[in-house]
């Protein structure tokens, strides 16, 4: 899923400051205004009603029953749920197997997969654990695949192929009507098409088998070789879809589900309340605050720090957002704090979201040391405008005071400085930069933009409002910490408004067709993939490196030969993972010179000896590539 910057605030209030949190709003109520007619959306129903429909139990209903449930009003839905869950399909036993089966299967499903949008969670709920799960790890050939094996009858088994269609989407069940093409990567699908069109001529083996040793397992599970060579006894759509249908006999399902074995783990972590508020606007988005309240006296295990004088509690929170029945985003946060004793704890996570959107948030809160967990879900709607906090959050003055105290305190530890990145990808005009300073050596912090000093702080809070360009421009904000003698102790920097996407380099100046010579200013734009950074940028004239830089702005002054000489300028960017991209521009070129931008051409090459075996130990010097 996906890595986003998340603002995390830890609020550990004394018991006296949190009396208002001890009385949370009734379950199912939503913070903020709800648009007229929004109650028809199950996301905004009272939480037990939404969870019944979307988080498991309603999978036991037929389509007609689910549609009828959706049309009921709140009171009728409550009566329906009570009647359904109160039904004991095996009245001769002291246990209500249906209720116990739902509890166990939900725990089995969501312990492993946080969202029911992932088909694996639904399979676990309806069918229990499979006999085996076999991952297919051939990233060049197939998309992520898992083969799940379930018994059918006394001796036979059914193999289900589950695949992730895109990196940001959950797994789904493959069925033959989709064709086998959806399981291949885009490149391998092309190679398989060429293999089929040529009838295998020129190929020693089919490409997928050559590159992936597990191809035969995929063929066995799908009943299809290559793209459309069907095998005998291949599964039908109905054979596979039955695993996602409600049970034909609810009593049999309840009996089996109530005996589902669950892995041993510590007892659940108690959660007193989860509240959602919209206190601020951040550009075009509304800041959505998730407040997770743990009750006073909750038993959280702590770990002894390296110095042996202090102990620390660690809590991890995973938040998954769903929108329109699909997974929208996922972000994680870690909280470190001293042992709580008898204090109540509020964990606050801020996430900017677009207004007028309905979401379901699914939270996993875990004691990193003790292993205790809590799972909580809430549906909510982001309003048109931000709203002031309304009861029952902690008193507003406590939040402000705590934020000021945290910014003003000097954090114990080694002498260091970290510049906190912004919440949003785009920042213009003014940005409040905040540095986290640890240790005791740093006495002043200097804030600079693109190498030009703007402000010096000589005491906490280590923050400054720095002036930026009025339009989104790639800029570097730097914070430098100096000791009492003026010596640099630590520094950090943040690159703002850096273009994100597939790696790409584009020369902005000098312009095409302009005659230049001597010292020439070169400026380039670099698009950087998410979670990657630029290691180095080289500026070359006629393939000779004349300047390098490792940080924006991507500019350099280079020496160009005389105006009567044709030369070419290349700007080459290398990422921290070794990937490279470049742009080339001919300088002082004659009018008849034609320049064509050519995309990277990948040649899939196999070298075999006379015996047909692969030749090993070759290097790039052993190859020559010719065109035409």
């Amino acid at each position: 899923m996906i890595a986003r910057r998340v603002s995390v605030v830890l609020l550990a209030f004394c018991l006296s400051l949190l009396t208002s949190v001890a009385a949370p709003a009734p379950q199912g109520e939503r913070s903020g205004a709800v648009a007229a007619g929004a109650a028809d959306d199950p996301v905004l129903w009272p939480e037990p009603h939404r969870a019944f429909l979307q988080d498991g139990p309603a999978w036991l209903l037929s389509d007609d029953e689910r549609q009828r449930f959706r049309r009921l009003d709140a009171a009728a839905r409550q009566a329906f749920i009570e009647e359904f869950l109160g039904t004991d399909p095996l009245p001769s036993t002291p246990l209500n197997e249906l209720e116990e089966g739902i509890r166990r299967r939900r725990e089995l499903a969501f312990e492993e997969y946080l969202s029911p949008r992932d088909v694996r969670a639904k399979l676990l709920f309806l069918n229990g654990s499979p006999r085996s799960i076999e991952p297919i790890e051939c990233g060049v050939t197939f998309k992520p695949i898992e083969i799940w094996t379930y018994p059918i009858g006394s001796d036979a088994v059914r193999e289900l192929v589950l695949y992730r269609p895109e990196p940001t989407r959950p797994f789904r069940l493959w069925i033959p009507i989709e064709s086998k093409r959806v399981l291949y990567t885009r490149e391998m699908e092309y190679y398989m098409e060429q293999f089929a069109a040529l009838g295998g001529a020129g190929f020693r083996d089919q490409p997928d088998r050559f590159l992936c040793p597990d191809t035969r397992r995929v063929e066995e599970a799908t009943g299809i070789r290559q793209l459309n060579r069907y095998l005998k006894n291949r599964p039908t759509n109905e054979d596979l879809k039955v695993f996602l249908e409600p049970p034909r006999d609810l009593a049999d399902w309840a009996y089996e589900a109530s005996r589902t074995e669950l892995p041993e783990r510590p007892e659940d972590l108690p959660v007193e309340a989860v509240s959602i508020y919209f206190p601020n606007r951040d550009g075009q988005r509304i800041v959505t605050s998730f407040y997770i309240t743990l009750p006073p006296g909750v038993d959280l295990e702590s770990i002894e720090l390296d110095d042996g004088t202090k102990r620390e509690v660690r809590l991890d929170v995973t938040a998954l957002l769903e929108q329109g029945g699909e997974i929208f985003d996922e972000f994680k946060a870690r909280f470190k704090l001293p042992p709580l004793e008898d204090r109540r704890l509020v964990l606050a996570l801020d996430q900017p979201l677009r207004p007028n959107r309905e979401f379901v948030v699914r939270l996993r809160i875990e004691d990193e040391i003790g292993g205790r967990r809590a799972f909580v879900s809430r549906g909510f709607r982001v309003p048109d405008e931000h709203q002031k906090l309304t009861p029952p959050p902690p008193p507003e003055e406590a939040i402000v005071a705590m934020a000021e105290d945290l910014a003003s305190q000097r954090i114990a530890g080694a002498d260091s400085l970290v510049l906190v990145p912004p919440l949003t990808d785009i920042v213009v005009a003014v940005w409040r930069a905040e540095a986290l300073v640890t240790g005791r050596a740093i006495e002043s912090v200097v804030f600079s933009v693109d190498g030009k000093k703007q402000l010096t702080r000589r005491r906490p809070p280590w923050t400054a409002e720095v002036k930026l360009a009025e339009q989104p421009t790639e800029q570097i904000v730097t914070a430098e910490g100096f000791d009492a003698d003026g010596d640099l102790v630590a520094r950090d920097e943040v690159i703002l408004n850096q273009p994100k996407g597939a790696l790409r380099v584009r020369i902005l100046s000098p312009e095409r067709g302009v005659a230049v010579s001597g010292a020439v200013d070169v400026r380039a734009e670099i698009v950087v993939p998410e979670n990657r950074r630029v290691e180095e940028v080289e500026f070359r004239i006629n393939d000779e490196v004349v300047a390098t830089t490792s940080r924006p702005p991507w500019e350099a002054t280079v020496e160009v030969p005389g105006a009567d000489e044709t030369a070419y300028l290349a700007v080459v960017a290398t990422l921290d993972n070794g990937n490279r991209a470049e742009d080339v521009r001919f300088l002082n070129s004659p009018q008849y010179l034609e320049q064509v931008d050519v995309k990277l051409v990948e040649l899939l090459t196999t070298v075999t000896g006379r015996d047909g075996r692969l030749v090993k130990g070759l290097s790039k010097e052993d190859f020559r590539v010719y065109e035409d």
Side-chain angles (χ1 to χ4, degrees):
M1 271 318 280
I2 318 192
R4 294 174 62 98
R5 296 188 181 105
V6 182
S7 173
V8 180
V9 182
L10 175 62
L11 306 174
F13 297 105
C14 296
L15 183 59
S16 60
L17 289 178
L18 282 166
T19 53
S20 59
V21 181
Q27 191 172 13
E29 287 189 8
R30 311 296 178 204
S31 300
V34 177
D40 295 335
D41 189 336
V43 170
L44 302 178
W45 286 353
E47 184 58 26
H49 300 182
R50 185 207 64 76
F52 179 86
L53 179 66
Q54 298 182 337
D55 295 359
W59 291 334
L60 302 175
L61 305 176
S62 66
D63 288 340
D64 290 341
E65 289 174 316
R66 283 195 294 269
Q67 292 303 318
R68 182 165 63 88
F69 180 77
R70 292 178 65 106
R71 292 191 294 267
L72 299 176
D73 59 26
R77 288 196 301 267
Q78 183 63 31
F80 183 102
I81 293 172
E82 291 176 358
E83 180 181 358
F84 179 80
L85 296 181
T87 301
D88 189 350
L90 300 170
S92 60
T93 64
L95 180 70
N96 185 330
E97 281 80 5
L98 177 60
E99 193 171 13
E100 177 66 12
I102 290 175
R103 184 192 69 81
R104 286 179 172 267
R105 287 289 176 83
R106 277 172 55 95
E107 185 172 335
L108 178 69
F110 299 132
E111 175 80 14
E112 189 69 26
Y113 309 108
L114 189 54
S115 173
R117 308 304 172 191
D118 191 317
V119 74
R120 295 173 295 181
K122 189 173 183 179
L123 285 172
L124 288 177
F125 182 88
L126 290 174
N127 306 280
S129 299
R131 178 175 294 180
S132 65
I133 298 177
E134 186 177 353
I136 303 297
E137 298 177 351
C138 296
V140 174
T141 305
F142 295 108
K143 297 171 183 175
I145 288 177
E146 292 181 4
I147 299 176
W148 286 32
T149 302
Y150 278 103
I152 50 173
S154 56
D155 299 321
V157 296
R158 177 72 67 206
E159 293 183 332
L160 309 182
V161 177
L162 314 179
Y163 73 102
R164 187 189 295 275
E166 297 176 11
T168 58
R169 297 183 63 186
F171 274 76
R172 61 180 295 170
L173 174 67
W174 176 84
I175 55 177
I177 197 173
E178 293 181 292
S179 86
K180 193 181 173 186
R181 293 174 180 270
V182 300
L183 301 180
Y184 287 113
T185 62
R186 184 171 56 182
E187 293 81 3
M188 183 53 63
E189 181 185 355
Y190 170 77
Y191 296 142
M192 296 301 294
E193 288 175 343
Q194 297 303 306
F195 180 84
L198 297 174
F203 291 83
R204 183 169 184 82
D205 197 358
Q206 63 187 58
D208 54 351
R209 285 188 174 185
F210 179 77
L211 290 175
C212 177
D214 291 330
T215 293
R216 286 178 171 80
R217 282 294 296 119
V218 178
E219 293 174 348
E220 293 170 1
T222 58
I224 304 174
R225 277 195 61 189
Q226 301 172 22
L227 290 176
N228 51 16
R229 295 184 61 179
Y230 302 109
L231 306 178
K232 293 182 178 180
N233 301 320
R234 67 183 183 274
T236 65
N237 298 327
E238 290 68 26
D239 291 336
L240 303 178
K241 289 194 295 184
V242 69
F243 286 85
L244 297 179
E245 294 175 354
R248 298 176 181 176
D249 190 315
L250 187 60
D252 286 346
W253 182 90
Y255 178 81
E256 294 296 333
S258 66
R259 285 155 177 77
T260 299
E261 293 186 5
L262 298 173
E264 292 186 8
R265 64 179 182 86
E267 64 179 2
D268 290 343
L269 191 66
V271 174
E272 188 173 88
V274 173
S275 304
I276 305 172
Y277 302 98
F278 313 97
N280 295 298
R281 175 176 283 275
D282 186 354
Q284 298 297 316
R285 291 174 169 81
I286 302 296
V287 174
T288 304
S289 298
F290 304 95
Y291 286 31
I292 308 164
T293 306
L294 305 186
V298 61
D299 183 19
L300 297 175
E301 293 194 24
S302 60
I303 189 173
E304 187 177 279
L305 300 184
D306 293 338
D307 58 11
T309 61
K310 296 181 180 179
R311 301 191 67 84
E312 185 176 78
V313 170
R314 296 176 182 176
L315 289 168
D316 294 335
V317 178
T318 300
L320 188 147
L321 287 168
E322 297 173 357
Q323 182 186 33
E326 297 290 340
I327 294 178
F328 174 78
D329 197 4
E330 181 178 0
F331 51 96
K332 298 181 179 181
R334 170 182 283 182
F335 298 86
K336 297 181 179 180
L337 62 154
L340 296 179
E341 299 176 351
D342 289 330
R343 291 181 296 174
R344 180 179 274 105
L345 175 66
V346 178
L347 306 176
L349 295 85
D350 288 351
Q351 183 77 345
L353 297 172
R354 292 192 179 278
N356 292 319
R357 302 288 197 278
E358 289 77 28
F359 296 91
V360 174
V361 63
R362 302 185 184 278
L363 300 165
R364 178 194 288 126
I365 307 102
E366 183 172 8
D367 177 358
E368 184 179 315
I369 302 168
R372 301 178 68 188
R373 286 182 171 186
F375 299 88
V376 186
S377 301
R378 291 289 185 274
F380 65 96
R381 181 177 188 272
V382 181
D384 293 336
E385 294 293 338
H386 70 278
Q387 301 166 352
K388 291 184 178 180
L389 294 180
T390 54
E396 186 173 356
E397 64 272 16
I399 298 175
V400 174
M402 179 58 66
E404 290 177 350
D405 288 343
L406 288 175
S408 300
Q409 291 174 358
R410 184 181 295 272
I411 306 171
D415 297 317
S416 68
L417 179 150
V418 176
L419 191 57
V420 180
L423 289 175
T424 58
D425 295 329
I426 303 299
V427 184
V428 297
V430 177
W431 176 53
R432 175 170 288 279
E434 181 177 1
L436 300 181
V437 174
T438 64
R440 297 190 173 278
I442 295 177
E443 296 293 336
S444 63
V445 177
V446 176
F447 294 88
S448 305
V449 177
D450 292 337
K452 297 179 180 179
K453 186 174 78 172
Q454 289 200 2
L455 187 69
T456 299
R457 286 286 188 193
R458 302 192 182 279
R459 62 178 182 272
W462 308 108
T463 62
E465 286 193 349
V466 295
K467 295 181 180 179
L468 306 174
E470 295 294 331
Q471 301 297 329
T473 305
E474 191 172 14
Q475 294 183 279
I476 298 179
V477 177
T478 305
E480 297 175 306
F482 296 88
D483 62 15
D485 297 327
D487 294 329
L488 180 65
V489 177
R491 73 185 301 276
D492 194 18
E493 65 182 30
V494 171
I495 301 176
L496 303 179
N497 306 323
Q498 188 171 51
K500 296 293 184 181
L503 177 61
R504 181 170 59 86
V505 178
R506 184 164 66 100
I507 297 175
L508 302 178
S509 66
E511 297 179 0
R512 297 181 189 274
V514 177
V516 294
S517 63
V520 176
D521 292 331
V522 178
R523 185 165 58 93
E525 176 189 72
I526 300 177
V527 177
V528 182
E530 197 74 34
N531 298 325
R532 298 259 70 95
R533 62 178 176 81
V534 175
E535 190 77 24
E536 184 181 60
V537 174
E538 295 179 341
F539 297 83
R540 301 180 178 183
I541 296 293
N542 294 340
D543 209 30
E544 179 184 352
V545 178
V546 295
T548 61
T549 183
S550 59
R551 49 182 292 184
W554 311 113
E555 300 173 353
T557 300
V558 302
E559 195 70 25
V560 178
D564 56 344
E565 296 185 43
T566 299
Y568 67 88
L569 164 71
V571 178
V572 183
T574 303
L575 297 182
D576 55 341
N577 63 353
N579 288 351
R580 306 176 71 185
E582 69 176 289
D583 191 17
V584 178
R585 179 158 298 178
F586 284 90
L587 307 176
N588 308 325
S589 57
Q591 294 183 352
Y592 58 80
L593 180 65
E594 181 179 358
Q595 181 174 341
V596 180
D597 291 331
V598 180
K599 301 296 185 183
L600 173 70
V601 178
E602 183 176 1
L603 302 179
L604 185 64
T605 306
T606 304
V607 181
T608 57
R610 294 179 179 179
D611 57 358
R613 297 180 179 273
L614 290 175
V615 177
K616 299 181 179 180
L618 299 176
S619 65
K620 64 180 182 180
E621 287 75 18
D622 297 313
F623 293 85
R624 297 291 185 272
V625 179
Y626 300 91
E627 186 175 4
D628 297 331

